[in-house]
Amino acid sequence: MSSANNSDFTGWVAHDPSAADGNMQWGSFQPKTFEETDIELDISHCGVCGSDIHTLRSGWGPSDYPLVVGHEIIGKVTRVGKDVHDLKIGDRVGVGAQSECCEACKPCKMEQESNCEKMTMTFNGRHSNGEKSYGGYAKTWRGPASFAIPIPDGLPSEFAAPLMCGGVTVYNPLVSYGAGPGKRVGVVGVGGLGHFALLFAKSMNCDKIVAISRSSSKKQDALELGADEFIATGEDSEWMAKNANSLDLIISTVSGSFSLDSYLQLLDVNGTFVQLGAPDDPLPSFSPMGLIFKNLKIAGSLIGTRQHIRDMLELAKKTNLQAWVQVRPMSEANQVVIDFEKGLPRYRYVLKN
C-alpha cells in the first residue's frame, strides 16, 4: 500500500474571487485526514466545468477559500483504505462533482444520492468529518472510495473526464424523462453541456433532435454532434410559431437569463422542460397558461447518481461517444480559466498532468 504524505498534495489554489481572473496559485494544500474508507489518486486528467468558474468567483455565494476546484477527475488509484473492497491500486477511476453522501436521508435511501441532504461537493464542500474537500486541479486526490467510479477499458481518459459531471448532468434528465425512440428532443445552448446533450440524444436514437441557440454560428457543429434541425432564436422572429408543439422534451443548458414562455411554446402536450444551467440571477416570471392547457412540466436536475455514471460510461463506450475536447497542460490552468470565460472551448477543456 503506497501513500502520499500531506506535503505531496499540490495544486492550483484559489485564495479569493480574483482566482476566476486567472489568479490561482500553484501550491500545497491540506487534504482531508485519510480514513480507511478512502482512496488516493494520481490525477491524470481533470475536466474544466462552468461550476469551477462560478465557485472561483463566489458566484453562488461565498466560497470556502482557500480551495482547489475541479470535479471531472480521472486518475490511477495509489492508496486504498483497508475498508475498501471494490477498488485496488492501479485501477483507473473517475470522481465527479459529488464525493460523499450521508447514506441515511430519504434521497440516499431511494438511490437518489445526488439530492442528499448532506452531500459533499468535490470542489467546495466539507466532508462528514468536517474537513474540506479539494478538487482536481492538482496532482493528487484523496477522498471516499464510494464515489470513485471505475472507467471502462477502451474509453480514453480525455473523453471520460468531462463525462463525470458535464456528461452525467445531461444523461440523467434524458434517461429520467424518456429520451429514446419516439421522442423529439430539443437542446437549448450549444456549449459544454449542450454538446453532450446532442451526443447522448443521438446515442439514444431519439426520433428528432433540435439544437436551439441565439445565432447560427454553431449550426454546423450542432449538426455534426447529432442535431437534425437547428433553430437560431436571434435570427428569425417567427421561430416560436414555426416550431410550436414540435418537441416532447427540452433540455436547457444555458446559464444566462431567458424567456421561459418562449420555450414552453415549443413543447407538445405532456411535454417537459428541464433546466440544467444554473444562472447567478433568477429567471424572469412566466405565464402558467401553457402549463395548464398543454399539461406541461417544468423540472430541474442536478448531476446524477453513481448508477447514472456507471450506465453512462458503458453507453459512451458502447456507442464510441467522443466528447469534443481540447486537452491542455495542467500548468496552463490559469489561462484555461480565462479562455473558458471568453467562450473559447469547443466544447470542453481537459487539463492533463
Side-chain angles (χ1 to χ4, degrees), residues 44-68:
S44 65
H45 297 76
C46 185
V48 178
C49 179
S51 301
D52 298 339
I53 314 301
H54 284 287
T55 301
L56 288 172
R57 75 155 76 94
S58 289
W60 291 328
S63 293
D64 189 10
Y65 304 105
L67 58 87
V68 174

Side-chain angles (χ1 to χ4, degrees), residues 15 25 32 39 47 58 79 87 111 114 126 140 181 184 189 215 219 228 235 305 310 333 351:
H15 295 279
Q25 298 177 14
K32 74 182 293 293
I39 59 169
S58 289
R79 183 183 184 186
L87 294 174
E111 296 185 358
S114 51
R126 293 273 173 175
T140 312
R184 301 163 295 171
S215 77
K219 179 177 180 179
D228 301 301
E235 298 175 5
T305 66
R310 295 184 191 101
L351 299 172

Side-chain angles (χ1 to χ4, degrees), residues 39-41 43 45-47 70-75 77 87 92-100 120-123 127 134-136 141-151 160-165 168 309 313:
I39 59 169
E40 287 177 1
L41 304 178
I43 297 170
H45 297 76
C46 185
H71 54 276
E72 297 178 336
I73 303 167
I74 305 294
V77 177
L87 294 174
R92 184 174 62 131
V93 301
V95 178
Q98 181 178 7
S99 55
E100 196 171 6
T120 297
M121 301 303 288
T122 301
F123 50 102
H127 289 284
Y134 288 90
W141 183 82
R142 173 188 290 173
S146 58
F147 275 82
I149 311 297
I151 305 300
L163 290 175
M164 297 305 299
C165 177
V168 76
I309 294 173
L313 292 172

Side-chain angles (χ1 to χ4, degrees), residues 287-332:
S287 169
M289 301 310 288
L291 302 182
I292 295 168
F293 280 95
K294 291 198 289 184
N295 198 35
L296 303 181
K297 297 176 286 293
I298 298 175
S301 184
L302 178 66
I303 51 176
T305 66
R306 288 167 284 187
Q307 192 58 52
H308 281 134
I309 294 173
R310 295 184 191 101
D311 293 343
M312 172 198 65
L313 292 172
E314 287 299 330
L315 177 64
K317 177 184 176 181
K318 177 182 176 182
T319 60
N320 193 30
L321 187 143
Q322 297 184 13
W324 288 21
V325 300
Q326 294 164 270
V327 179
R328 305 273 294 269
M330 182 67 74
S331 60
E332 295 180 7

Side-chain angles (χ1 to χ4, degrees), residues 32-230:
K32 74 182 293 293
T33 301
F34 189 86
E35 299 173 84
E36 296 302 338
T37 52
D38 288 343
I39 59 169
E40 287 177 1
L41 304 178
D42 274 350
I43 297 170
S44 65
H45 297 76
C46 185
V48 178
C49 179
S51 301
D52 298 339
I53 314 301
H54 284 287
T55 301
L56 288 172
R57 75 155 76 94
S58 289
W60 291 328
S63 293
D64 189 10
Y65 304 105
L67 58 87
V68 174
V69 295
H71 54 276
E72 297 178 336
I73 303 167
I74 305 294
K76 292 285 183 70
V77 177
T78 57
R79 183 183 184 186
V80 180
K82 64 178 176 54
D83 294 335
V84 178
H85 305 296
D86 53 353
L87 294 174
K88 63 184 185 302
I89 291 175
D91 284 351
R92 184 174 62 131
V93 301
V95 178
Q98 181 178 7
S99 55
E100 196 171 6
C101 69
C102 74
E103 305 285 5
C105 67
K106 182 178 179 181
C108 283
K109 290 180 178 177
M110 296 171 61
E111 296 185 358
Q112 198 172 324
E113 68 271 11
S114 51
N115 301 109
C116 173
E117 297 169 2
K118 298 178 180 178
M119 73 179 299
T120 297
M121 301 303 288
T122 301
F123 50 102
N124 184 36
R126 293 273 173 175
H127 289 284
S128 57
N129 64 4
E131 295 179 324
K132 277 190 179 184
S133 59
Y134 288 90
Y137 289 17
K139 297 287 288 184
T140 312
W141 183 82
R142 173 188 290 173
S146 58
F147 275 82
I149 311 297
I151 305 300
D153 292 340
L155 183 60
S157 293
E158 64 266 28
F159 295 155
L163 290 175
M164 297 305 299
C165 177
V168 76
T169 294
V170 299
Y171 176 86
N172 175 2
L174 284 169
V175 170
S176 297
Y177 294 101
K183 285 296 181 79
R184 301 163 295 171
V185 176
V187 176
V188 183
V190 184
L193 288 179
H195 111 283
F196 275 127
L198 294 170
L199 287 169
F200 276 116
K202 184 71 171 180
S203 71
M204 294 174 184
N205 298 312
C206 296
D207 271 18
K208 182 170 79 169
I209 304 168
V210 181
I212 305 167
S213 187
R214 284 191 297 266
S215 77
S216 54
S217 63
K218 297 179 181 177
K219 179 177 180 179
Q220 189 56 44
D221 285 356
L223 296 176
E224 290 182 28
L225 287 162
D228 301 301
E229 300 176 17
F230 189 93

